[in-house]
Amino acid sequence: MSQPPVFMGAPSSTGRFGDFGGRFVPEALMPACLELEAAFIDAWSDPVFIDEYHSVLHEFAGRSTPVTYLGRFSKLFGVEVYAKREDLAHTGSHKINNVVGQTLLTRRMGKTRVIAETGAGQHGVATATAAARLGLACTVYMGELDTHRQELNVFRMELLGSTVVPVTSGSKTLKDAVNEAMREWVSCVEDTHYCLGSVMGPHPFPWMVREFQSIIGREAEEQLTARGVGVPDVVVACVGGGSNAAGIFAGFANSSARLVGVEAAGGAAVSNGSPGVLHGMKSMLIQSEHGQIEEAHSISAGLDYPGIGPEHAFLAASGRAEYVGIGDEDVLVALQTLSQLEGIIPALESAHAVAWIMQEAGKAIPRGSTVLLNLSGRGDKDVAQVLDILRGRE
Amino acid sequence: MKSLEVTLRALRESGRKALVPYFMAGVTPNWTQHVAAAVHGGADAVEVGIPFSDPMMDGVIIQKAAELSLAAGTTIDSICAELAASDLGAPLIVMTYYNLFHHYGLRRASGRLAQSGVSGAIVPDLTLEESEEWRAACDENDIATIFLVAPSTTPERFARLARATEGFCYASARMAVTGRAQGAGDATRVVDAVRATSDVPTYVGIGISSPEQARDATEHSDGVIVGSALVDTILTGASPADTEVFIASFRRAIDK
């Protein structure tokens, strides 16, 4: 008889993963969180809902995404690297998996509108896309700084019929966009679903988003098995809130694979943070000695977040997964290296995971190891920013 | 029963409606003088905001006040030191987000607050379900834990929250964060829902920005909380004397 899964099963009835998670929201939002939890549990055990979710991901979003063997990169670094190509999914990243699930759920709950936060703009674009497909109204909150860094994504969302609201409070980045989306949700919760973009926030979001993203890990596990690779030695993914990492880890949580999450060095909540409560969850946070949340700093807007999803905090505390930080400079080198060796321009976020492999191949990753890299998004959105940085140095 | 609730029940029995202004601690160097002026102008208790970097339940006015206060270096310790050194003459209730107390240590925070003369605490992002440890810490220090109810609160939750809250029950009139909506909204229905299961004093907040709105709200409740409208005057340069006039205008309207 097989053992029940030890890691990445359902959280406790109060939404806890070990000591992390839970639900820390204004009372005004509690009924919506409870309604969402019930609706998700009901939908996720309904074959009709699950079929529709898979069929939309297939017909609309282009799943399944392939696993690509990175031949020249592998040869150069002496490790066998397979990339799960979430960059090839519709809208250019894994974010589509989650929003397809959440927008179908929105319709099932009888709500007619979604709001979302976005950092780099990937989740905002994905939400705008899925909302357009179902005819749901959509408003996206985006830090003012990020609207400048990712101007094209702002226009994409508008093309898709969404409204983008620049957030001017606090650090004007992702964490403030989450604050503003939560504030707005209070005043429109009756007809509006908050389509949260990562494995964070109050229960059931961290669990629900991980479940909607777990298709990444399940597909990759089947694909590696089918090509005779089997369970990889290492599974690596970048982590901001941690949804792409949670998705790919879910396929290997109870295998022998080593799980590695790569945070931006300037936003490394596990390495440099401490337990705290923010955005509806208890997790690891970067905060001052007085408990004020500090601003994260990263070249990639998508990893500019001072916290991490609560399940990651638990996986770190339990030792099942490890979390490391990578600096901006190494990320730029990794982006160029992967582009030139493999013909794949990764998103700056995903390039963090590439950079970790380059740094640790032959060290923390023994020569000849097999590595599954989650290539969570494509770099199109970042090329203008990278051009500016590299040109500025000439 | 916590001391705060004894006081506030006695206030109700005396036939007086409670007027509770909110101040952001540390927003100006003389903020405690504003508090003293408000008490002089007729406030029955005072909410003292402790600034947090990510005030999820607050609109732009209180966000701005928190930013200013944090930039001036305000901490739990600095606030407690100032409160302990002042004799403000009314019950003090702190309002802030859970992370600050979690980070400070729950027992240590409630102890420090009590030593500084604080008798109640409102933590809007701490749900009833997650509040057990904080309430236990407050029990040791005679600090009342005040819960909010909202127009969206379900009947089952109204009953549990009205039973759990101490001092008073904070009835949100509107589905909005602070400072964004005006008027009594669903206040009557929310207050009735609390009264259906508890005789705890029930005060209306969120949406009260004028003396007339305060008067209307107290016709069907035991008191009102005035936050953003007051903080806004301080952000635009009001003196403690102005604050006394402001509060006195609410007092007169309520007492009519």
Side-chain angles (χ1 to χ4, degrees), chain A residues 7 18 38 79 117 192 219 223 250 268 287 298 380:
Chain A
F7 290 103
V79 290
E117 84 295 341
T192 301
E219 277 179 14
Q223 288 162 322
Q287 50 190 329
S298 169
D380 303 34

Side-chain angles (χ1 to χ4, degrees), chain A residues 208-377:
Chain A
M208 177 177 73
V209 176
R210 180 253 282 168
E211 287 294 290
F212 286 145
Q213 292 291 4
S214 65
I215 191 163
I216 304 171
R218 285 202 311 273
E219 277 179 14
E221 194 269 332
E222 282 170 23
Q223 288 162 322
L224 289 182
T225 300
R227 64 198 291 165
V229 176
V231 174
D233 298 310
V234 180
V235 178
V236 60
C238 66
V239 179
S243 70
N244 90 79
I248 200 155
F249 288 179
F252 303 90
N254 298 296
S255 78
S256 60
R258 202 177 139 193
L259 307 179
V260 180
V262 185
E263 297 185 274
V270 170
S271 312
N272 302 330
S274 54
V277 173
L278 178 71
H279 294 157
M281 63 184 175
K282 180 175 182 188
S283 191
M284 297 294 283
L285 307 173
I286 300 173
Q287 50 190 329
S288 75
E289 58 173 319
H290 300 297
Q292 306 293 348
I293 308 304
E294 301 203 315
E295 293 171 23
H297 295 285
S298 169
I299 191 172
S300 81
L303 302 188
D304 236 352
Y305 186 67
I308 188 169
E311 189 167 26
H312 286 297
F314 169 68
L315 290 172
S318 66
R320 176 62 191 95
E322 60 203 285
Y323 296 82
V324 295
I326 285 284
D328 292 350
E329 224 27 69
D330 294 334
V331 170
L332 278 172
V333 173
L335 181 140
Q336 294 169 83
T337 303
L338 193 72
S339 301
Q340 287 159 23
L341 289 178
E342 297 294 340
I344 299 170
I345 303 175
L348 282 169
E349 290 80 7
S350 319
H352 284 73
V354 178
W356 180 78
I357 298 173
M358 289 167 59
Q359 178 185 293
E360 295 299 336
K363 299 176 200 156
I365 317 171
R367 278 188 74 80
S369 301
T370 52
V371 178
L372 175 63
L373 159 71
N374 199 16
L375 231 158
S376 55

Side-chain angles (χ1 to χ4, degrees), chain A residues 27 30-32 34, chain B residues 150-161 193:
Chain A
E27 168 60 21
M30 271 304 282
L34 293 165
Chain B
S152 60
T153 299
T154 54
E156 174 266 341
R157 294 187 66 76
F158 267 121
R160 289 167 56 206
L161 287 159

Side-chain angles (χ1 to χ4, degrees), chain A residues 60-79:
Chain A
F60 180 68
R63 300 206 73 91
S64 60
T65 59
V67 161
T68 304
Y69 175 62
L70 305 181
R72 298 181 67 208
F73 185 93
S74 295
K75 193 168 175 204
L76 185 64
F77 292 100
V79 290

